[in-house]
Amino acid sequence: MKTLYLSLIFVLAGLTLAACGGLGGESSYPDKQAEDYKKYGSVVSEEGGFTLFGTDRKAQDQGSGIGVNGYLWRASLDTLSFMPLASADPFGGVILTDWYVTAQAPDERVKVSVYILSRELRADGLKVTVFRQKREADGQWADTTPGTETAAKLEETILTRARRLKIAQIKE
């Protein structure tokens, strides 16, 4: 029975990740869907931050909008789409992945935390932390230090993707 539950969890997690999009591809939405978002209120505000019920200026001024940048949020999810997500909190701007193991290095695993700290699309509005573990001879996982450039490369990838998303929206 336990195996059945685990299998069901893995299948649901895989379907959830598959729904998030492909690896490295640009996502595009049908024109009708984009028109509906404009007509009925967008999930993403003009400043790029999420709002709960459209882009009502009065509601935004009262602080009911989510306090993170929408471009950074979407770019973070796109960039980390190959990893299993442990949690994603759009209200707090926190994305936590679960441990990820590649076929090329089965004795190493990584975990990533992304914190979106600003409503503005700025380099200091994003903090990425990478955790790495190696499997020891006895089969136990032990913490090791990830490469110093790993978190910086992820931040740069997310920022580049966020800029592209913003430019693509401006061109529409």
Side-chain angles (χ1 to χ4, degrees):
M1 194 66 166
K2 185 177 181 180
T3 307
L4 177 65
Y5 285 126
L6 286 174
S7 298
L8 183 59
I9 289 171
F10 283 121
V11 168
L12 289 174
L15 291 173
T16 302
L17 287 175
C20 292
L23 292 174
E26 293 288 327
S27 58
S28 60
Y29 298 100
D31 289 339
K32 179 171 179 3
Q33 187 176 8
E35 290 173 11
D36 287 347
Y37 274 123
K38 289 177 185 173
K39 182 176 180 182
Y40 298 112
S42 175
V43 176
V44 179
S45 73
E46 294 171 10
E47 292 82 19
F50 284 97
T51 58
L52 200 52
F53 299 106
T55 57
D56 184 326
R57 286 281 176 213
K58 184 176 180 182
Q60 284 181 359
D61 292 341
Q62 295 173 353
S64 66
I66 299 172
V68 299
N69 183 277
Y71 300 113
L72 287 174
W73 178 257
R74 286 185 287 169
S76 298
L77 289 175
D78 287 351
T79 302
L80 299 174
S81 65
F82 67 95
M83 298 180 80
L85 289 180
S87 78
D89 177 15
F91 294 97
V94 178
I95 299 171
L96 305 172
T97 70
D98 206 351
W99 290 106
Y100 176 71
V101 180
T102 65
Q104 296 81 11
D107 291 331
E108 292 184 16
R109 64 184 186 174
V110 295
K111 189 178 199 174
V112 177
S113 300
V114 176
Y115 303 98
I116 301 170
L117 308 170
S118 173
R119 289 185 59 96
E120 299 173 12
L121 180 54
R122 299 170 27 149
D124 63 350
L126 178 71
K127 178 170 177 27
V128 175
T129 307
V130 178
F131 304 94
R132 181 175 169 230
Q133 291 184 339
K134 285 189 124 182
R135 190 182 320 224
E136 296 179 336
D138 64 356
Q140 297 295 320
W141 292 100
D143 292 336
T144 60
T145 305
T148 56
E149 70 282 347
T150 306
K153 284 182 181 179
L154 274 172
E155 283 181 6
E156 183 60 34
T157 302
I158 291 169
L159 288 167
T160 301
R161 175 78 176 134
R163 287 182 201 112
R164 287 182 182 157
L165 287 169
K166 185 172 185 174
I167 289 169
Q169 186 175 7
I170 290 171
K171 288 182 179 180
E172 288 179 359

